[in-house]
């Protein structure tokens, strides 16, 4: 299917605070693919499509919703698969490589991975997520700011506020992959 326009696809997503859902809905409009949450998706429904795009937020380095692909790879291996992960941090090639190495192993290792910058909404976070983020912020605050990695800078700048970095521009590489641009 490389180079071939895919017209029959589906978007499967898992969103915790809304940024991933926003990207999934943008993709739905841009592609005309139906959109379904992983918790409501069935493999029999998803396997009917030529292309499957999984959209999942990044939490503690893991991509949410990835378990749907993992447990169903035997039925999806001949499909055009792509993963769009959404994170609050700015992303560069090193960060994307780290996300790939942490998440895409075995049957998943060759799936194309795309990144969209999401949002930071402390006001929407549950108690556990707020606590973990505050602990991480305290740990990072002990470092010299001149040595901060991009994600550390973003974390420290976003502390105590709500930020939305979502942007349709992050979908362009994925649209190119799907041959829909």
């Amino acid at each position: 299917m490389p180079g071939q326009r895919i017209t029959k696809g589906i978007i499967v997503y898992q969103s915790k605070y809304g940024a991933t859902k926003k990207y999934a809905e943008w993709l739905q409009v841009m592609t005309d693919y139906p959109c379904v949450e992983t918790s409501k998706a069935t493999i029999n429904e998803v396997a009917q499509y030529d292309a499957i795009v999984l959209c999942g937020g990044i939490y503690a380095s893991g991509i949410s919703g990835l378990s749907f692909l993992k447990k169903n790879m035997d039925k999806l291996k001949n499909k055009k698969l792509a993963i769009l992960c959404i994170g609050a941090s700015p992303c560069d090639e090193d960060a994307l490589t780290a996300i790939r190495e942490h998440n895409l192993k075995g049957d998943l290792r060759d799936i194309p991975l795309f990144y969209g910058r999401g949002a930071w909404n402390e006001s929407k976070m549950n108690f556990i997520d707020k606590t973990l983020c505050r602990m991480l912020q305290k740990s990072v605050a002990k470092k010299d700011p001149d040595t901060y990695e991009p994600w550390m800078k973003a974390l420290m700048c976003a502390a105590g506020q709500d930020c939305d970095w979502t942007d349709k521009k992050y979908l362009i590489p994925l649209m190119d992959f799907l041959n829909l641009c």
Side-chain angles (χ1 to χ4, degrees), residues 142-173:
K142 294 176 185 175
K143 298 178 181 282
D144 177 357
D146 292 335
T147 65
Y148 284 179
E149 294 177 39
W151 70 267
M152 293 174 181
K153 288 179 187 173
L155 177 72
M156 299 310 283
C157 288
Q161 56 186 321
D162 287 351
C163 304
D164 185 345
W165 302 286
T166 57
D167 193 319
K168 291 179 184 175
K169 72 180 182 188
Y170 294 112
L171 297 175
I172 294 170

Side-chain angles (χ1 to χ4, degrees), residues 9-163:
I10 189 168
I11 301 154
V12 183
Y13 74 94
Q14 187 167 325
S15 186
K16 193 169 186 178
Y17 295 112
T20 301
K21 182 178 182 181
K22 187 178 194 179
Y23 277 104
E25 289 172 346
W26 282 343
L27 263 178
Q28 181 179 28
V29 170
M30 295 166 81
T31 62
D32 267 341
Y33 292 178
C35 192
V36 62
E37 291 180 71
T38 54
S39 62
K40 296 175 183 165
T42 66
I43 189 55
N44 291 335
E45 172 191 15
V46 172
Q48 294 176 36
Y49 293 90
D50 300 322
I52 294 95
V53 179
L54 173 77
C55 300
I58 300 173
Y59 303 100
S61 300
I63 301 171
S64 61
L66 196 60
S67 60
F68 182 85
L69 288 184
K70 284 180 184 176
K71 71 181 180 186
N72 294 302
M73 275 306 290
D74 58 321
K75 294 178 180 158
L76 300 175
K77 59 183 151 201
N78 295 320
K79 306 293 181 175
K80 186 166 190 168
L81 303 174
I83 298 169
L84 173 67
C85 58
I86 310 302
S89 298
C91 192
D92 58 22
E93 281 305 313
D94 290 341
L96 201 56
T97 297
I99 293 167
R100 171 175 286 293
E101 288 173 357
H102 180 77
N103 290 278
L104 304 183
K105 299 173 181 156
D107 290 342
L108 305 179
R109 84 174 157 271
D110 294 326
I111 299 174
L113 181 65
F114 301 89
Y115 186 85
R117 190 155 186 211
W120 178 269
N121 296 319
E122 284 189 28
S123 62
K124 291 184 179 179
M125 287 183 192
N126 63 35
F127 175 77
I128 293 171
D129 288 346
K130 279 184 188 176
T131 302
L132 291 172
C133 287
R134 287 188 185 126
M135 289 171 50
L136 186 56
Q137 287 165 338
K138 284 181 182 180
S139 173
V140 170
K142 294 176 185 175
K143 298 178 181 282
D144 177 357
D146 292 335
T147 65
Y148 284 179
E149 294 177 39
W151 70 267
M152 293 174 181
K153 288 179 187 173
L155 177 72
M156 299 310 283
C157 288
Q161 56 186 321
D162 287 351
C163 304

Side-chain angles (χ1 to χ4, degrees), residues 1-7 33 50-51 80 176-180:
M1 275 191 237
Q4 179 182 349
R5 182 180 168 89
I6 305 296
T7 56
Y33 292 178
D50 300 322
K80 186 166 190 168
D176 286 343
F177 171 76
L178 295 170
N179 296 309
L180 294 172

